Structures are given as structure tokens and as C-alpha cells.
């Protein structure tokens, strides 16, 4: 996804089904900048109610969840990326925020046991980013039913 300069954008989001919540286990973020003088931007992990513009709708690109272990079952939740400008998810509550350099910046974070955030049924998580200059970004969440 290409970020527009000085505009906070929702890069990735996941919405729990009505029957259960989700626990966030791992977060991966990668930037594709090549300019060593690029100014760091802010990356923000948020809880989301998705009061509007939930993943999988017409305002984002649907992402197909991949099951990594266990018996194969339907995921039961929605994931999306690259919300269209002006159609960002609403009602976000920041969990964590950190600066990240655009020059090949990379975050690989496995949340420690007992410190992993979870969300209730019908809510979820969003990763947002804002950079002073346009930059390409990608992100991955690893979640489990909670």
C-alpha cells in the first residue's frame, strides 16, 4: 500500500465475529523506502469498534486470512487493507505507537505471553501509519480466537 504524505491511513484491520473475540499474537510491518535521509513516521496499533467502514466492505481491499495450524475451519472473521481515502475505520483507540524509519524500516514483534491485546466479539484491531513523505508499507497480523 502506498501512503500519502502527512495523511494517517489504515494499513490493515481485522474484525472479530459476533461469536468470539480475537487475541493479537504477532505484528509485522515493513516499509520500502530507499532514502537514508527519510524522516521517520508514526505507526499506531489500535483497538477498533468499526462503527463504520469495517474490513471486507467496499471501502477496503479484502484480505483472506490464512490458518497456520490446527484443524482447518472457516476463519469466521474479516480482514482488510488499504482503505480508500476518506473512508477510514472509525472509533479507534490507540494501544501502542512508535516511530519507524522509512528507509527499509521493519518491525517483527511477537507479543509476550500475558501481554497480548485482545478484543471482544464484533470489534477488532487496526494498524495505522502517517509519514511526512509518500512511502510503501505492508503489514501482517497473527490472531487467534479469544
Amino acid at each position: 500500500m502506498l501512503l500519502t504524505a502527512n495523511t494517517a491511513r489504515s494499513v490493515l484491520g481485522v474484525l472479530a465475529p459476533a461469536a468470539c473475540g480475537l487475541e493479537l499474537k504477532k505484528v509485522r510491518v515493513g516499509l520500502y523506502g530507499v532514502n537514508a535521509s527519510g524522516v521517520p513516521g508514526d505507526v499506531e496499533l489500535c483497538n477498533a469498534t468499526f462503527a463504520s467502514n469495517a474490513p471486507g466492505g467496499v471501502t477496503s481491499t479484502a484480505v483472506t486470512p490464512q490458518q497456520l495450524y490446527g484443524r482447518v475451519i472457516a476463519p469466521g472473521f474479516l480482514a482488510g487493507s488499504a482503505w480508500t481515502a476518506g473512508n477510514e475505520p472509525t472509533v479507534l483507540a490507540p494501544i501502542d505507537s512508535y516511530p519507524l524509519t522509512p528507509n527499509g524500516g521493519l518491525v517483527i514483534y511477537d507479543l509476550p505471553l500475558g501481554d497480548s491485546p485482545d478484543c471482544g466479539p464484533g470489534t477488532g484491531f487496526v494498524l495505522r501509519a502517517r509519514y511526512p513523505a509518500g512511502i510503501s508499507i505492508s503489514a501482517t497480523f497473527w490472531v487467534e480466537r479469544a
Side-chain angles (χ1 to χ4, degrees), residues 10-74:
S10 299
V11 177
L12 180 65
V14 61
L15 173 63
C20 69
L22 294 174
E23 182 177 4
L24 187 61
K25 304 298 279 185
K26 301 178 184 197
V27 176
R28 309 286 189 256
V29 181
L31 295 157
Y32 301 95
V34 294
N35 184 349
S37 64
V39 177
D42 292 312
V43 174
E44 187 175 55
L45 178 62
C46 301
N47 275 113
T49 67
F50 292 109
S52 62
N53 301 321
V58 297
T59 62
S60 68
T61 302
V63 174
T64 303
Q66 301 296 314
Q67 185 172 335
L68 299 177
Y69 62 89
R71 294 181 184 192
V72 177
I73 59 173

